[in-house]
């Protein structure tokens, strides 16, 4: 007689023989007792948990000839029970869905299901690994699965229920098979070992049950292999048979790491590799053992969550007291990152040693070096006028107070015994120089340019700085006071309150003023958008020179715009000059504005540029100079318009 493996020999023959599936056995037994047979069942769960065995038990319960009706306790002696157990019954058809995935196979199954049973009461179709069926095959089975012919039962088994169509699952009674509990599996293996006369130690049986990870078929197959070894079978024999690292040696690896002993660690690694252990297996086993170490440290009463023997668990709980959870988690993180390197390298032995040496405390400790000596910042004495010195300093115009302004931003404290630095060679620092330093330290480039052109520092004393700004720019600068205050604090080394005052039309920087605010309308094409330059309150009118056909003419010198005269004072007489009209749109009449008086006669004759001849381009060029930009396009060469595109370089 041919040899029969243990997982075939000890296959359960009734629902009472199912190991670890008491809930499912009780439910199906009640359904058979009450004659409530469903047309389709779906058995799901991990491998080796009894799905196919339960399908065969259900088929025998439906067709046992010792009973006139379906029974939960088939005899196992009648012809139908023996044929179903052997797998050659005519009315119990087991189909491997991996080799019958197409719709044609399902169509043939449906056609055969229309025939009545030959020997049994029910025709049972067991479709194993049903998730391998194609979508078309599932859809073809839907109608038959929902309303099968009389005395036809479908049993679908799968280890991956996520791949089964929801429409199939909704037409079946679903039973989820769980992994076999450790104690139930251990008791079952002990019964088999006694019946088969296998001399194996109880710790080895417990180790087999733990390594099976809930699969009874895997445990029975491993026990079948261990029965071939010389008795008695020890846990070391189990580790050697599986090619895994024994728990004792994993604990020794962790002890060498905790003792910061690289020599002992390398010796243990070399012994494991010389005994045929793969480097990747060593790393993975050590990672799993570190998980058990974490459980022993945080929950020493939960041995059921681990896969170690009782003796190893006691030693592990004692050893875990010297570890913190943070250290164990860092160890697991390091092992996880090293796994990919060992998988992809051509020298796995070397990288295993490097990875485990990196777990030593000396490798994890941060490198500490003496901080470099920081030299004290150099301070130089400068003289600030009385307007910049706080209120307690002399307020006489001739009084100058020496104040030390640090060059470096670091703050140093002078010991009491060191005298203050005398202003031996004071450097003059007036309001203008202080203002320029403040402007350099403004973070925003646009704000810096705006204040450089439109702002003026009036006074700085008693922790307060007063800045003069023209009225039309006052609202814009008001929103930048925080940047200005930070710049003052950077220069003077103390908090300064910034106050803004209107300059009442005075020009703080006459040379850098933008051109007079004149609204210029340039003709444009219908497709181009309307561009209106920013306008300001009218102050001094200026005449725009009209386009002249002459090639050479008198070049006007730079015009110095005088500050506006108060309204009560009479304006100086303006000499008679030819009125000039500003270029306007065709819908508006030209406005005649008298040209300003030239202070000096022209110095030389030169040809005028195109932008000087065209008032629109001239206004655009002045607008670009004010915003520190440039005219990037003059579309006069492309069309008949005088439209110019100005690209500013200022972001307010």
């Amino acid at each position: 007689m041919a040899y029969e493996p243990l997982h075939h020999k000890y296959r359960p023959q009734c629902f009472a023989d199912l190991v670890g599936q008491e809930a499912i056995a009780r439910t199906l037994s009640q359904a058979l007792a009450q004659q409530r047979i469903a047309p389709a069942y779906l058995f799901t769960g991990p491998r080796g948990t009894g799905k196919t065995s339960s399908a065969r038990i259900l088929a025998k319960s439906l067709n046992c000839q010792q009973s006139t009706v379906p029974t939960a306790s088939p005899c196992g002696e009648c012809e139908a029970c023996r044929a179903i157990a052997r797998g050659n019954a005519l009315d119990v058809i087991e189909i491997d869905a991996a080799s019958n995935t197409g719709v044609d196979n399902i169509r043939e199954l449906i056609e055969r299901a229309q025939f009545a049973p030959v020997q049994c009461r029910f025709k049972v179709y067991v479709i194993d690994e049903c998730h391998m069926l194609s979508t078309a095959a599932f859809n073809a089975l839907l109608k038959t699965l929902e309303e099968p012919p009389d005395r036809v039962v479908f049993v679908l088994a799968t280890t991956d229920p996520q791949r089964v169509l929801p429409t199939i699952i909704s037409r079946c009674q679903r039973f989820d098979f769980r992994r076999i509990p450790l104690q139930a599996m251990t008791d079952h293996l002990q019964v088999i070992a006694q019946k088969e006369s296998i001399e194996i130690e109880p710790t080895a049986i417990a180790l087999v049950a733990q390594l099976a990870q809930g699969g009874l078929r895997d445990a029975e197959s491993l026990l079948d292999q261990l029965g071939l070894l010389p008795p008695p079978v020890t846990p070391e024999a189990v580790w050697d048979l599986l090619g895994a690292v024994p728990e004792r040696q994993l604990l020794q690896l962790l002890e060498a790491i905790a003792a910061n002993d690289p020599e002992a660690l390398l010796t243990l690694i070399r012994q494991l590799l010389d005994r045929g252990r793969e480097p990747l297996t060593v790393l993975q086993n050590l990672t799993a053992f570190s998980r058990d170490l974490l459980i022993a440290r945080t929950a020493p009463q939960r041995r059921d969550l681990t896969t170690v023997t009782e003796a190893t668990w006691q030693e592990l709980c004692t050893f875990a007291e010297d570890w913190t959870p943070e250290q164990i988690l860092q160890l697991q993180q390091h092992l996880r990152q090293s796994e990919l390197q060992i998988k992809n390298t051509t020298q796995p032995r070397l990288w295993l040693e490097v990875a485990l040496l990196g777990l030593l405390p000396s490798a994890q400790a941060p490198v500490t070096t003496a901080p470099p000596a920081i030299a004290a910042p150099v301070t130089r004495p400068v003289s600030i006028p009385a307007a910049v010195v706080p209120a307690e300093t002399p307020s006489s115009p001739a009084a100058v107070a020496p104040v030390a302004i640090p060059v470096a931003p670091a703050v140093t404290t002078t010991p009491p015994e060191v005298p203050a630095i005398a202003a031996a060679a004071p450097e003059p620092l007036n309001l203008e120089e202080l203002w320029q330093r403040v402007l350099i330290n403004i973070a925003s480039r646009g704000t810096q340019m705006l204040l450089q052109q439109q702002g003026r520092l009036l006074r700085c004393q008693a922790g307060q700085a007063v800045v003069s700004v023209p009225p039309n720019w006052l609202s814009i600068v008001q929103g930048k006071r925080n940047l200005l205050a930070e710049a003052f604090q950077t220069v003077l080394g103390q908090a300064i309150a910034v106050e803004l005052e209107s300059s009442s039309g005075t020009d703080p920087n006459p040379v850098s003023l933008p051109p007079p605010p004149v609204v210029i309308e340039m003709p444009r094409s219908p497709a181009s958008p309307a561009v209106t330059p920013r306008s300001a309150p009218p102050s001094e009118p200026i005449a725009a020179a009209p386009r002249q056909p002459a090639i050479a003419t008198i070049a006007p010198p730079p015009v110095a715009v005088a500050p506006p005269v108060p309204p009560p004072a009479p304006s100086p007489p303006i000499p008679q000059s030819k009125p000039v009209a500003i270029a306007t749109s065709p819908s508006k009449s030209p406005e005649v504005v008298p040209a300003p008086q030239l202070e000096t006669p022209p110095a030389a004759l030169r040809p005028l540029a195109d932008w000087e001849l065209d008032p629109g381009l001239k206004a655009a060029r002045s607008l670009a100079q004010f915003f520190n930009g440039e005219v990037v396009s003059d579309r006069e060469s492309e069309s008949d318009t005088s439209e110019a595109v100005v690209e500013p370089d200022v972001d307010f």
Side-chain angles (χ1 to χ4, degrees):
M1 184 177 179
Y3 173 73
E4 187 177 9
L6 293 183
H7 66 278
H8 287 169
K9 185 176 182 180
Y10 292 94
R11 182 189 293 269
Q13 301 299 321
C14 60
F15 288 116
D17 295 340
L18 283 176
V19 180
Q21 309 295 343
E22 291 79 8
I24 296 176
R26 185 166 52 252
T27 304
L28 292 177
S29 299
Q30 290 293 331
L32 292 170
Q34 299 177 13
Q35 304 299 313
R36 297 170 60 178
I37 311 302
Y41 295 91
L42 177 63
F43 295 164
T44 66
R47 68 182 189 276
T49 54
K51 298 184 296 298
T52 306
S53 299
S54 299
R56 290 187 178 183
I57 294 173
L58 179 62
K60 288 193 296 182
S61 299
L62 293 174
N63 298 307
C64 181
Q65 297 176 352
Q66 293 292 337
S67 176
T68 57
V69 294
T71 176
S73 301
C75 66
E77 301 295 335
C78 64
E79 182 63 25
C81 290
R82 291 199 302 268
I84 294 174
R86 292 192 303 266
N88 55 9
L90 295 178
D91 297 323
V92 178
I93 301 96
E94 296 187 16
I95 300 174
D96 179 18
S99 57
N100 297 273
T101 61
V103 64
D104 295 334
N105 304 110
I106 298 300
R107 186 180 296 113
E108 182 180 359
L109 183 150
I110 295 173
E111 291 177 356
R112 292 183 178 180
Q114 306 300 325
F115 297 98
V118 178
Q119 297 176 341
C120 303
R121 286 189 294 267
F122 288 87
K123 180 177 287 189
V124 181
Y125 286 91
V126 180
I127 304 177
D128 200 7
E129 299 299 331
C130 66
H131 63 271
M132 299 297 294
L133 293 176
S134 63
T135 304
F138 271 130
N139 292 330
L141 189 61
L142 282 177
K143 189 63 177 177
T144 304
L145 202 64
E146 183 177 5
E147 297 178 358
D150 190 21
R151 296 184 179 275
V152 173
V153 176
F154 287 91
V155 180
L156 282 68
T158 178
T159 57
D160 193 2
Q162 289 79 11
R163 296 173 59 181
V164 181
L165 293 182
T167 52
I168 294 291
I169 297 177
S170 63
R171 288 167 169 80
C172 303
Q173 284 190 7
R174 177 172 175 174
F175 293 89
D176 291 324
F177 287 71
R178 62 172 182 169
R179 295 184 182 273
I180 309 301
L182 183 63
Q183 188 60 42
M185 187 182 298
T186 303
D187 297 340
H188 182 70
L189 292 178
Q190 287 178 348
V191 172
I192 296 177
Q194 291 176 359
K195 291 181 178 180
E196 297 294 326
S197 301
I198 299 176
E199 297 184 13
I200 183 172
E201 295 182 1
T203 55
I205 291 182
L207 180 59
V208 170
Q210 291 170 353
L211 295 176
Q213 297 183 355
L216 184 60
R217 181 171 59 240
D218 296 343
E220 292 174 346
S221 299
L222 182 57
L223 182 63
D224 198 1
Q225 290 179 277
L226 293 174
L228 302 175
L229 297 177
V233 180
T234 62
E236 287 74 15
V238 178
W239 291 114
D240 290 337
L241 183 62
L242 293 178
V245 182
E247 298 174 351
R248 174 64 57 184
Q249 295 182 351
L250 292 175
L251 184 59
Q252 292 175 357
L253 285 175
L254 289 180
E255 290 175 350
I257 292 173
N260 198 20
D261 191 352
E263 181 182 358
L265 181 62
L266 291 175
T267 303
L268 290 172
I269 295 174
R270 188 57 55 90
Q271 291 176 358
L272 290 174
L273 298 180
D274 291 343
R275 294 182 62 183
R277 304 295 189 268
E278 291 296 330
L280 184 60
T281 304
V282 174
L283 186 73
Q284 292 175 346
N285 291 158
L286 186 59
T287 305
F289 197 72
S290 66
R291 169 189 172 275
D292 298 337
L293 177 64
L294 181 62
I295 297 175
R297 177 64 179 83
T298 57
Q301 71 281 2
R302 296 300 304 273
R303 178 180 170 270
D304 57 304
L305 298 177
T306 65
T307 58
V308 296
T309 59
E310 181 65 28
T312 305
W313 174 253
Q314 298 298 332
E315 296 182 11
L316 192 61
C317 291
T318 305
F319 176 71
E321 294 177 357
D322 299 332
W323 292 70
T324 63
E326 292 77 12
Q327 292 176 338
I328 301 175
L329 292 176
Q330 289 179 2
L331 182 142
Q332 293 177 349
Q333 181 73 9
H334 184 83
L335 293 175
R336 183 182 66 85
Q337 294 175 353
S338 303
E339 182 177 359
L340 184 62
Q341 179 66 33
I342 296 179
K343 282 183 178 179
N344 300 330
T345 186
T346 57
Q347 297 179 331
R349 297 168 63 99
L350 173 63
W351 283 107
L352 175 64
E353 295 177 351
V354 171
L356 296 188
L357 287 175
L359 296 173
L360 297 175
S362 57
Q364 300 292 332
V367 180
T368 58
T369 56
I374 302 175
V378 181
T379 59
R380 59 181 182 182
V382 295
S383 299
I384 300 179
V388 186
V389 182
E392 58 270 17
T393 58
S395 59
S396 173
V400 177
V403 178
I405 299 179
V407 177
V411 180
T412 58
T413 58
T414 304
E417 61 273 7
V418 179
I421 300 177
E427 297 182 5
L429 180 64
N430 52 19
L431 288 176
E432 184 62 28
E433 184 177 353
L434 178 61
W435 179 241
Q436 294 302 324
R437 291 191 180 183
V438 171
L439 292 178
I440 292 175
N441 287 275
I442 294 178
S444 174
R445 174 68 176 169
T447 306
Q448 178 182 353
M449 295 178 58
L450 173 62
L451 291 175
Q452 185 177 6
Q453 295 179 0
Q454 304 296 336
R456 174 182 295 175
L457 180 61
L458 296 182
R459 57 186 176 275
C460 181
Q461 65 179 19
Q464 183 180 18
V466 180
V467 179
S468 173
V469 180
N472 53 333
W473 296 101
L474 189 60
S475 60
I476 298 178
V477 179
Q478 190 73 24
K480 310 296 182 180
R481 291 177 58 185
N482 55 340
L483 299 177
L484 195 55
E486 292 175 0
F488 270 104
Q489 184 176 2
T490 302
V491 174
L492 298 179
Q494 60 178 348
I496 300 296
V498 178
E499 298 293 336
L500 302 178
E501 287 188 3
S502 176
S503 60
S504 301
T506 59
D507 186 5
N509 265 325
V511 180
S512 302
L513 273 178
V518 179
V519 179
I520 302 174
E521 296 185 2
M522 296 176 289
R524 60 182 181 275
S525 60
S528 61
V531 179
T532 304
R534 182 181 296 178
S535 60
S539 56
E540 301 92 0
I542 186 170
R547 181 182 296 274
Q548 300 177 5
I551 299 177
T553 182
I554 300 175
V559 181
V561 183
V565 183
S571 302
I574 300 175
Q576 298 295 331
S577 61
K578 183 179 179 180
V580 181
I582 297 177
T584 59
S585 60
S587 61
K588 297 183 180 180
S589 59
E591 179 182 356
V592 179
V593 180
Q597 181 183 2
L598 300 178
E599 296 182 356
T600 58
L605 296 178
R606 64 173 179 83
L608 293 178
D610 292 339
W611 66 270
E612 293 177 323
L613 298 178
D614 190 347
L617 294 179
K618 183 176 181 180
R621 186 181 181 89
S622 300
L623 182 63
Q625 290 177 353
F626 171 69
F627 286 105
N628 195 20
E630 60 178 348
V631 180
V632 297
S633 175
D634 179 10
R635 298 176 184 162
E636 186 177 4
S637 59
E638 303 176 5
S639 61
D640 295 333
T641 63
S642 300
E643 182 179 359
V645 180
V646 179
E647 184 180 21
D649 194 22
V650 180
D651 183 12
F652 296 116

